[in-house]
Each structure stands twice: as C-alpha cells, then as structure tokens.
C-alpha cells in the first residue's frame, strides 16, 4: 500500500435524490515520501471519484457534508 499519512477533508452536497454534487477538497495535509507522490495523488483522486459516484438514500432536502478522511501509516 501507499505509506500515506495526514488528513483529507472533502466537502460535498447530497441532493434530495441522494446524489452527491460539488465534490471538492477542502483541505489536504496528506504526505508521502517523494517517490510515492504520484500514488498519493491517485489515492486522493479515487476518494473524490468514489464520492462523486456513491448513491446516498433519498432525503427531504439537500444536505451539506464535510467528510474528514484520516490516513495513518
């Protein structure tokens, strides 16, 4: 695996239909050895892609979500 450590904070909205929108990085303090930087970027990209594609349950209205993802080596 990638020896990643730090916090990736992601913000997004969930519509009444359960779909995520406006997925964006709010803060990224993740770190890896320099040789692993391309792998770190791929991990961050995969987290964002997952959140763009995930289907949440239907709800009465739109919600704002801040999701902290903590990585520990």
């Amino acid at each position: 695996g990638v020896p990643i450590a730090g916090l990736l904070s992601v913000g997004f909205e969930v519509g009444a239909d359960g779909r995520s929108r406006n997925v964006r990085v709010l803060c990224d303090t993740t770190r890896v050895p320099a040789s692993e930087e391309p792998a770190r970027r791929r991990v961050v990209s995969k987290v964002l892609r997952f959140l763009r594609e995930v289907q949440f349950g239907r709800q009465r209205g739109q919600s704002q979500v801040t999701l902290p993802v903590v990585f520990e080596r």
Side-chain angles (χ1 to χ4, degrees):
V2 180
I4 189 170
L7 171 71
L8 175 66
S9 184
V10 182
F12 58 97
E13 300 158 7
V14 178
D17 61 358
R19 293 187 168 257
S20 60
R21 297 176 177 83
N22 233 2
V23 177
R24 64 210 175 277
V25 173
L26 300 175
C27 178
D28 181 1
T29 65
T30 58
R31 298 291 175 259
V32 294
S35 62
E36 297 288 341
E37 183 58 23
R40 184 198 69 81
R41 287 195 301 267
R42 284 192 301 274
V43 168
V44 170
S45 212
K46 286 180 182 186
V47 169
L48 296 177
R49 185 177 320 125
F50 172 79
L51 290 172
R52 288 183 182 112
E53 295 173 359
V54 71
Q55 178 72 41
F56 295 93
R58 290 177 122 5
Q59 52 186 17
R60 282 180 232 163
Q62 182 171 304
S63 296
Q64 296 284 112
V65 179
T66 300
L67 178 67
V69 182
V70 178
F71 294 94
E72 295 180 359
R73 290 184 205 194

